[in-house]
Every structure is written in structure tokens, then in C-alpha cells.
Amino acid sequence: MRRSGFALGVAALVATAGSLAGAATGRFDQKLSKDRQALHVLNRLTFGPRPGDVDRVRGMGVEKWIRQQLQPQLIAENPLVDARLKPLATLQLATWQIFETFQPQLQTVLVNPTPVPPQVRLAQLVSPEQLQKLSTGTPEERLAIIGAIAPQNLGPVLAALTPKMLEGFPDLQKLAEKARQAEMSRPQTVVRSGTVFTSLNNLLTAEQRRITQQGTVDERRALLMSFDAEMRKQVLRMLPPAAVAGIPELQREALAARQPPMFVNQELVDSRMYRALYSNRQLEEVLVDFWLNHFNVFNGKGPARMLLTSYERDAIRPHALGRFRDLLVATARHPAMLYYLDNWQSQAPREEIPGQPPAPANVRRPGLNENYGRELMELHTLGVNGGYTQDDVIAVARAFTGWTIYDPNRIAEFQFNPALHDRKEKIVLGQKIPAGGGEQDGLQVIDILARHPSTARFISQKLAQRFVSDDPPKPLVDRMAATFTATGGDLRAVVETMLTSREFLSEGAWQAKLKSPLEMVLSSVRVLGADVTDPTALAQRIADLGQPLYGKAEPTGYSTTSDAWSNSAGFLGRINFAGALAGGQIEGVKVDLTHLSSNGEAVARRLLGVAMSPATLKLLESGAKGEALLPSSIAAVVLASPDFQRR
């Protein structure tokens, strides 16, 4: 499509943005026509249909397909998922192994040789007590300390001593001057945490440095791959990102060398993308996304990037279709949640802990932290109008004191520390938790909340809002809540009640939701049958549209309603993405459109699954101006159209 035609399409699409978040016009008691049902369930229970999916669901039958998706353990997985996940080694590591391998260490990387500050070097070679005496001690004390320095360290120590420290010792002053000159003439190398880092100038020849800056992709790849693993790691740590541009296998290795926590997080993001794109267990993947959002943990707080791999693998995925209480316990105990909402530092006041002496007046000690107690009720269980009070928040926070993290920067495992627990009586939502309890206090709170009618309704409302409509019918939510209560929070049963309801397969639910950035990007890739070999750039597009994976700072998670994503700037971003994807301009994504014709109406029906709206047809006609359009141009307009943005 010519640029002017595409620009006209952009303007028209942006003008329709407001209508995308409008309420559904159909009725929830009016059954969806059979020709739409397969497409509807694929748009709601998957990250978008792939080529051939609609025919497969119709052939199997919508009800049978839904029940199959509710039993993901019985679905044979797409071999491509395992093939894509296999290189992502961090996914299988325990948290302590992730820390051991990828924990950032105190490192100094010298791209240009510059001396280490004397104070830093001296602090590494003498104890704090010795340093104090060298600064303020008598001549005899200073001389005694210098005389006790090991011979191999004497030169560096003398070079780092200040004139005042050497005052009165002319012979030592001369030796110190010689030591400083020797230090300045040596290549600058810094040793930190057992790892040696030197300058890039000392590692590479002038010609090699030129190749890293100006060489072709093949030249840069050949040079870097010629180094052994340790040498390459040091070089990659110092090189700018441009040096590995166009070399995906080295981009990943460079990220691991420069920013280890980011590398761990990137592998987790990649795994989410691959599973969403290729897994045959699509409902499970959609629910994992739902529960990760419901129990949101922000990857930018403290060591969260190192903790989220286990959080998703061990706390969320096993319970996505299990019992809600088990999901609550798993998230409450996980170090990622404990750290994110600060409960790992929550403690009873010292004077209330038996056997503890009063804290010194000049020592500050963490006290009760209400963050987790509040969010547990407001966001995870009861809902903001669930009937709790500020007194309940405090009581719940007290019940979870002592739920902490063992060695949070090295091991990061859940630990209950009785020395930090508030053992007094607590009243939560009118129910008494007797004094003298321990970890069981928190579990009793979870039992109270998991059984509460407000929790049954709040969870049912959120699920219906995600899968049915932004304002789901009250009778449906009531039936789901009744199932929740009757089954003790069996999430599979609750979801089944929703998906087999008349409201789910109704005209009122048809295209009633606006896709989130994640859903829009993934469904676009899936409908084109694109091959994703590196999802990094694709994940960045999702982030650019406002929904970075694991990147929501607030515990609310991302909104599941259309109004949050319905704005002109967001739609312009979607339009640009559609053009880039259809044009094959996204790194790591291979798009083959040779199977598409130049007939706009036929292509639109193939991508949408239904006939396109008159507005989209008009856009195609105005862009073409009587000429044949390229398949990429047609695909770009269809993917950016209001027709495709709805689900």
C-alpha cells in the first residue's frame, strides 16, 4: 500500500478507537450462532486462533474442545514448545542456583585503564582497625602496622598511604613514591569477589577492537566465537550492545555477562512468549497469565528478577486450575511475594516477643508491615468492598509476622521465624485466632479468606470479566460463586461453570472485549502462522504498547477491562506494530504471506474468521485506489482494524 493510503487508514482507525471500548450490543440470553461459536471460544480461551484452528474446533465440537482444554494434563503438547524452551536453562534452576550463577557481584570493569582510588585499594589490604590507626595513631603505632604488612602487599599499601600516614618516615616515603610509580606503569587490573577484570585494551588488539566496532556481522561473530568461553565472557561484558547487533546467540550471552539478573528475567519472558505462541494447552496458558496478573509481583523491586522464575513455575502454574486455597498458600509463602509486599520484614514489636531484651535506644528495628495483609484482602481475596476493616488489616498483618525469607540474597527460601511472630490473640473478620500460635496463624487467615463469600464472588467476578465481558451478567457471577463455595474453591469447576454457561456463548459476549497489548501482539503472530525464533523484540513491542511482562509496579496488576487500553496513542502503536509485523520488520519473527492472495476481502475473512466490517472494507478500498494491494498491506490493515482488535 502506498504511504498516503496507509496514512489515511491510520487516521480512520484512530477515529474509531473510542468505539472499541463500547459496551456489547448483543444480549446475554441470545445464543451465539453456530458459525461464530468456534471463533469466539478461540478468541477467549487462547491467545488467538492459528491457521486451521477454527476448522479443528468446529470438527471436534465446541463443547468437547472446551472440556479438553479444562484437562490440560491430557493434551499432547506441541513438540515445538520443548524445543524452544530447552535452551532456556534458568527455567529449571532452583532459586539458590540462580543466585549462585547469576548474582551480580561487586565488579569494576575498566574499559579504559584508570587507577583504582587509593582509599579503595587500601581498604582491601588492611583491616578497618589498622586503617584507623594509620590515620590517627602515634608514629610507633603506624610503623608497627606497616611493619606487619605481608611482603607481597607492602608495595600496594605504601602506594596507597597518604603523606600524613607516612609523616616522620623519610625512607618509607621514598619507597612509597617508587611503589606509586610502579603501580601507575602496570596494566590496570581489579580483583573483586574472586573474578579478575581487565581493560578492553589489554584483552584485544587494535585490529580486533576495530572489528568489534566496524566489522560486518560475520566478522564480529567469527572474532567473538574464536575466544574461549572465559575470554569471550570478559570481552562481551565490556563491549557495547552494538557490537553484537544481528548476532542473537551472542546477544543473549552478552546480556548474561553484563546484566545477569536481566538475563534471568529475559529467559522467563521468552518462556512465556513461546508457551503462549505454541502450546496446545492454551486455556492453561491464558489462566497462568490471569493468575500472574492477579497475584502480581513487579520484576523491578530488589531481587525479584531472580525470584520470579520459581514464582511462576512453583507457585502459579501448578495451581492455575487447582484449588484457590492452595494457590493462596503457594503465593503467600513464596519469597517473590514476601519480598514484593515487604512481609519478609514484618515483625511483632520487640517488647511483645517473649524472652527478647529491649532493643538499644539507638537501634532501629523493623516493625509490623501491613502491605501484604491489605493486598491479600483487597486484591487477592475479598475485594475492596469485601467487608473488611482497618482492624482486620492489622490483625492479618500480625498473623503473618514471622513469614519471612531465609538468606534472601543467596538462598531465598520461605522460612517461618517464630522469634519475629506476634503470639497474641487476633480477631479476623469476627473470627478469633487464639494466642500462642505460630505459622498456623497465617494458614488460619488463609482458610478464613478462602471460604469467605466475598472471595467467592470477587474471584468469580474477575474471571467473568476476563473471559465474558467487562461488565459480566450478575446471574452468571452468582452461579460461579455458588460453584466456588460448593466445591471449596475448585477453580476448574468455577471456570467450567463459566465456559459452559449460556452467557459465555451469547451474542452479548461476542466481540465484547478489547484485546490487551499482550493479546493483540500474540494473536497477530498466531493468526499469520509466523515462526518466532527469538521473542525478545516481540516482547519489547508488548512493553512499548504499555504491558511489559512482569513489569507492573503496582500490586493491582494490569487492567482486564477495555477502557484501560482504549486511547489514541495506544491504537497508533498497534497500527505501527501491525505494519511492522506484516512487513517482516520484527527481529526474530519470520512471516511468510505467500499463501495470502491480493484479494482484500478474502484475506480479511481468512485472518478474521468472519466477514470484515464495512468500515474495514472501506479502509482497504480507500488505500488501494483501484490498484491491487500487496498481501502485507492487506494484512497490516486487517490486523490494525477494529475488527481484529476485538475478541
Side-chain angles (χ1 to χ4, degrees):
M1 184 182 294
R2 290 186 300 274
R3 187 69 185 168
S4 58
F6 190 72
L8 287 172
V10 168
L13 283 166
V14 173
T16 67
S19 67
L20 284 167
T25 56
R27 292 166 42 186
F28 289 105
D29 60 355
Q30 183 178 350
K31 191 170 185 178
L32 195 62
S33 62
K34 279 192 173 296
D35 63 318
R36 289 180 168 182
Q37 288 182 13
L39 181 61
H40 177 67
V41 299
L42 284 165
N43 276 326
R44 296 301 174 87
L45 310 190
T46 78
F47 284 104
R50 300 167 298 184
D53 277 356
V54 173
D55 290 338
R56 279 190 287 272
V57 173
R58 283 176 179 159
M60 178 184 292
V62 168
E63 183 178 339
K64 184 177 179 181
W65 184 84
I66 289 174
R67 296 194 183 281
Q68 183 187 66
Q69 286 292 314
L70 285 165
Q71 300 287 338
Q73 71 278 10
L74 303 180
I75 301 174
E77 185 56 287
N78 183 352
L80 194 56
V81 174
D82 288 339
R84 291 287 192 264
L85 297 184
K86 188 175 181 180
L88 309 181
T90 60
L91 299 184
Q92 306 303 323
L93 298 181
T95 301
W96 70 265
Q97 293 173 306
I98 291 177
F99 272 118
E100 187 176 77
T101 309
F102 298 100
Q103 175 80 291
Q105 299 182 3
L106 296 176
Q107 302 168 347
T108 297
V109 178
L110 298 176
V111 178
N112 296 307
T114 53
V116 181
Q119 297 84 355
V120 174
R121 184 166 61 249
L122 190 58
Q124 294 171 338
L125 298 173
V126 300
S127 69
E129 294 78 10
Q130 290 174 319
L131 186 58
Q132 178 67 26
K133 287 187 177 181
L134 284 170
S135 301
T136 61
T138 65
E140 291 77 11
E141 289 175 330
R142 286 184 280 131
L143 187 59
I145 290 172
I146 294 171
I149 300 295
Q152 67 269 24
N153 291 335
L154 184 58
V157 168
L158 289 174
L161 293 178
T162 65
K164 185 177 179 181
M165 294 175 182
L166 292 170
E167 188 176 356
F169 308 123
D171 292 339
L172 288 178
Q173 289 172 352
K174 292 177 183 179
L175 289 175
E177 181 59 31
K178 289 181 180 180
R180 277 190 286 270
Q181 291 175 359
E183 286 284 304
M184 293 298 293
S185 65
R186 287 169 50 193
Q188 295 301 318
T189 300
V190 179
V191 180
R192 297 287 173 84
S193 301
T195 305
V196 178
F197 300 97
T198 187
S199 73
L200 198 59
N201 290 344
N202 291 337
L203 286 174
L204 302 181
T205 66
E207 174 60 15
Q208 288 173 328
R209 293 197 300 274
R210 185 198 67 76
I211 292 174
T212 65
Q213 297 169 8
Q214 304 171 14
T216 65
V217 169
D218 289 339
E219 288 173 336
R220 287 182 279 124
R221 179 188 284 111
L223 171 65
L224 294 169
M225 293 305 294
S226 70
F227 302 140
D228 63 46
E230 187 55 37
M231 170 76 165
R232 187 165 63 248
K233 182 177 180 180
Q234 290 199 48
V235 171
L236 289 173
R237 185 183 288 114
M238 301 180 214
L239 287 175
V244 290
I247 316 175
E249 65 273 24
L250 289 178
Q251 287 175 333
R252 186 174 297 276
E253 195 173 334
L255 182 62
R258 286 196 305 265
Q259 297 175 289
M262 290 290 289
F263 172 76
V264 173
N265 189 75
Q266 186 59 55
E267 289 213 330
L268 183 61
V269 169
D270 290 352
S271 72
R272 279 278 298 285
M273 298 288 287
Y274 282 137
R275 284 184 167 113
L277 288 169
Y278 295 119
S279 177
N280 292 335
R281 302 161 182 168
Q282 280 287 296
L283 177 57
E284 181 178 50
E285 292 308 312
V286 171
L287 284 169
V288 166
D289 175 70
F290 175 85
W291 291 119
L292 278 169
N293 195 57
H294 183 80
F295 294 102
N296 181 60
V297 170
F298 175 45
N299 67 2
K301 182 172 180 178
R305 285 189 174 90
M306 313 288 270
L307 304 175
L308 277 166
T309 299
S310 168
Y311 183 65
E312 178 178 327
R313 181 188 65 212
D314 304 327
I316 299 295
R317 284 189 172 275
H319 307 293
L321 279 165
R323 292 196 175 276
F324 184 69
R325 181 195 180 277
D326 297 338
L327 183 55
L328 268 184
V329 172
T331 55
R333 279 180 166 155
H334 200 279
M337 183 64 73
L338 289 166
Y339 194 94
Y340 174 54
L341 292 180
D342 304 310
N343 199 81
W344 74 288
Q345 293 181 312
S346 186
Q347 306 174 12
R350 190 178 183 90
E351 59 273 13
E352 295 184 11
I353 300 177
Q356 291 289 327
N362 62 341
V363 174
R364 294 188 61 187
R365 182 174 177 277
L368 187 68
N369 190 298
E370 300 174 8
N371 288 355
Y372 180 68
R374 178 174 290 104
E375 308 305 357
L376 175 63
M377 289 190 286
E378 179 178 329
L379 299 178
H380 298 173
T381 56
L382 305 175
V384 67
N385 298 314
Y388 66 90
T389 67
Q390 176 59 22
D391 287 341
D392 291 314
V393 171
I394 294 172
V396 169
R398 291 172 55 216
F400 282 99
T401 50
W403 286 49
T404 186
I405 305 172
Y406 175 75
D407 200 348
N409 294 311
R410 195 170 63 89
I411 305 298
E413 292 181 355
F414 170 74
Q415 176 190 33
F416 176 72
N417 187 341
L420 309 179
H421 184 61
D422 184 328
R423 297 175 180 273
K424 292 186 176 181
E425 179 183 280
K426 307 161 188 76
I427 305 293
V428 175
L429 298 172
Q431 298 190 45
K432 182 186 295 186
I433 298 177
E439 182 182 354
Q440 190 61 35
D441 288 358
L443 294 174
Q444 190 169 340
V445 167
I446 286 175
D447 286 336
I448 292 170
L449 296 176
R451 292 195 301 260
H452 200 281
S454 292
T455 298
R457 180 163 188 83
F458 181 64
I459 298 302
S460 299
Q461 173 81 16
K462 282 199 70 173
L463 283 166
Q465 195 174 67
R466 166 62 179 80
F467 286 92
V468 181
S469 73
D470 289 353
D471 186 17
K474 183 178 181 298
L476 171 62
V477 175
D478 289 344
R479 294 198 304 276
M480 292 169 64
T483 299
F484 187 104
T485 300
T487 62
D490 184 333
L491 296 173
R492 193 190 315 273
V494 175
V495 172
E496 184 175 6
T497 297
M498 173 180 65
L499 298 183
T500 57
S501 70
R502 63 178 179 274
E503 291 90 346
F504 175 68
L505 285 174
S506 72
E507 290 290 342
W510 171 251
Q511 292 191 339
K513 297 284 296 181
L514 174 65
K515 292 177 181 177
S516 69
L518 175 69
E519 293 161 347
M520 188 270 168
V521 168
L522 293 175
S523 63
S524 299
V525 175
R526 281 171 61 86
V527 79
L528 293 181
D531 180 29
V532 179
T533 55
D534 182 357
T536 304
L538 208 56
Q540 185 58 52
R541 291 285 183 151
I542 297 170
D544 293 342
L545 291 174
Q547 197 181 8
L549 291 175
Y550 313 100
K552 182 65 171 176
E554 298 81 9
T556 53
Y558 294 110
S559 175
T560 59
T561 58
S562 303
D563 54 358
W565 308 113
S566 182
N567 57 77
S568 295
F571 280 102
L572 279 172
R574 292 174 185 231
I575 291 164
N576 291 334
F577 166 75
L581 177 65
Q585 299 168 4
I586 299 180
E587 187 177 353
V589 183
K590 297 178 182 178
V591 179
D592 181 7
L593 301 181
T594 56
H595 61 286
L596 297 181
S597 70
S598 58
N599 183 311
E601 214 166 341
V603 172
R605 176 174 281 278
R606 182 165 182 171
L607 297 181
L608 296 172
V610 293
M612 63 179 157
S613 66
T616 301
L617 178 60
K618 186 176 181 180
L619 286 173
L620 286 172
E621 291 173 345
S622 65
K625 294 187 176 180
E627 298 181 7
L629 295 175
L630 294 173
S632 59
S633 298
I634 300 172
V637 171
V638 173
L639 295 181
S641 71
D643 300 22
F644 190 78
Q645 299 300 314
R646 294 190 182 98
R647 63 172 181 86

